[in-house]
Amino acid sequence: TYSKLIFVLFVIILLGVLFFGSEVRGTTGWIDLGFFSVQPVEFAKIGLVIWLARYFPDHAGEFRNFKHILISGFFTLVLVGLVMKQPDLGSALVLMGTWIVVLLFTGIQKKHFLWLLGTFLLVITLSWFFVLQPYQQSRISMFFNPSSDPQGEGYNVIQSMVAVGSGQFMGRGLSLGSQSSLRFLPEPGTDFIFAVIAEDLGLLGATLLLGLFMFIFYRLFMIMRKSQDDFGSYLILGIAGMLLVQLFINIGMNMGISPVTGIPLPLVSAGGSSLLAVMIALGIAQSVHIKNN
């Protein structure tokens, strides 16, 4: 009932952040409330999921018409554009990735997929010249060749890959990893927490962590299967997509297979806004499960 209102509310909040937000590490994405700071984009991700969960079922039988793909993509890009103005490339990728996951599960024609792929490549090319900040361009360049600037832009990625590799199978032991304990590894409690886990607990610990995430996705899948209405199913799909994209980007940048974008690892990285938003999302999933029963 309130999906449109929630979407508009987050558009207004993200606009307000651009004018009244606090800058943290080059990103104007925080609202300082005095006793704590809030990052609204973490909650805007849930707002997008709720809006998509309403729009897609309403037009599920019409997605052979490219118009509805464009409409859903346009409203997603409204949030993406506001987030890119902060600038926050990582959160923008999560918003776009969530829309893509929901769209692929809805089912689109092959020709429409090719049109989207072509448009996506065009947008990336234009964004490189007109949207991305110089430091964001450097991060993406370092993704392809981090060794070209080992003491500068490539430092974070190189140190993270060293930490992941040095953990080997059993790890070095809790708090005994040299990369994190000697502070070679930047942001060990947030962006690169997975590298710390891989170094301290090795492949075994990292596999256990991924297994816990797989259990969450399995439970979400089971709730989605048992959902008695389309809105509930798409709601769970959007939440799972949002978590999956964040998981892939964070672990990817820790292992050097995706650009460093400052995305927290859900339920693991330090950060109140991210943790609260993920818990709200899982609480919504639980409410769908309760309704099913």
Side-chain angles (χ1 to χ4, degrees):
T1 303
Y2 300 106
S3 58
K4 294 179 182 178
L5 179 61
I6 291 171
F7 184 88
V8 172
L9 178 63
F10 277 112
V11 169
I12 295 171
I13 291 174
L14 290 177
L15 276 171
V17 168
L18 297 178
F19 293 99
F20 307 108
S22 302
E23 183 174 322
V24 178
R25 294 168 189 162
T27 299
T28 309
W30 299 81
I31 295 179
D32 189 356
L33 300 178
F35 49 97
F36 68 94
S37 296
V38 177
Q39 192 175 15
V41 69
E42 296 294 340
F43 305 97
K45 296 170 187 175
I46 301 175
L48 176 65
V49 167
I50 294 172
W51 184 83
L52 292 176
R54 175 64 188 270
Y55 186 84
F56 273 69
D58 285 352
H59 305 279
E62 305 170 37
F63 265 83
R64 294 184 67 83
N65 187 339
F66 196 60
K67 177 183 72 173
H68 293 293
I69 297 176
L70 289 178
I71 291 173
S72 62
F74 171 78
F75 281 98
T76 302
L77 284 175
V78 169
L79 292 181
V80 170
L82 291 173
V83 173
M84 285 297 294
K85 289 293 291 182
Q86 294 181 5
D88 186 350
L89 176 61
S91 295
L93 289 175
V94 173
L95 291 168
M96 280 299 297
T98 303
W99 172 69
I100 291 171
V101 169
V102 176
L103 183 64
L104 291 177
F105 272 83
T106 300
I108 59 174
Q109 296 186 63
K110 185 178 179 180
K111 63 179 180 180
H112 292 164
F113 176 77
L114 294 175
W115 271 102
L116 284 176
L117 182 61
T119 304
F120 179 69
L121 295 175
L122 177 63
V123 168
I124 287 179
T125 304
L126 294 176
S127 297
W128 179 267
F129 294 103
F130 302 109
V131 177
L132 295 182
Q133 301 294 320
Y135 80 93
Q136 292 173 325
Q137 293 176 339
S138 298
R139 284 181 174 181
I140 294 174
S141 298
M142 287 303 105
F143 163 60
F144 295 103
N145 187 18
S147 59
S148 63
D149 188 11
Q151 297 299 319
E153 292 293 337
Y155 178 84
N156 293 0
V157 178
I158 292 173
Q159 296 302 321
S160 178
M161 289 192 292
V162 170
V164 172
S166 64
Q168 299 186 30
F169 185 75
M170 295 295 294
R172 292 172 173 246
L174 282 174
S175 301
L176 297 179
S178 58
Q179 294 298 110
S180 54
S181 61
L182 298 179
R183 299 191 179 278
F184 289 108
L185 186 66
E187 305 297 339
T190 52
D191 297 353
F192 293 98
I193 186 69
F194 180 80
V196 175
I197 294 171
E199 184 180 29
D200 288 357
L201 303 178
L203 177 63
L204 193 62
T207 302
L208 176 61
L209 176 65
L210 292 176
L212 293 172
F213 276 114
M214 289 303 297
F215 176 74
I216 292 176
F217 287 122
Y218 166 74
R219 290 297 304 156
L220 290 174
F221 175 73
M222 294 303 295
I223 295 172
M224 183 174 67
R225 276 189 57 189
K226 296 178 181 178
S227 178
Q228 298 174 4
D229 62 273
D230 291 339
F231 175 75
S233 296
Y234 276 95
L235 203 55
I236 301 299
L237 176 60
I239 291 170
M242 178 186 74
L243 295 176
L244 182 64
V245 173
Q246 290 191 183
L247 189 69
F248 177 81
I249 293 177
N250 180 275
I251 294 179
M253 72 184 191
N254 275 252
M255 299 178 65
I257 58 175
S258 69
V260 177
T261 56
I263 283 293
L265 185 61
L267 300 174
V268 181
S269 293
S273 295
S274 173
L275 178 62
L276 183 57
V278 172
M279 294 300 286
I280 289 173
L282 294 178
I284 292 172
Q286 185 68 8
S287 73
V288 176
H289 174 63
I290 292 171
K291 182 180 178 182
N292 293 342
N293 291 337

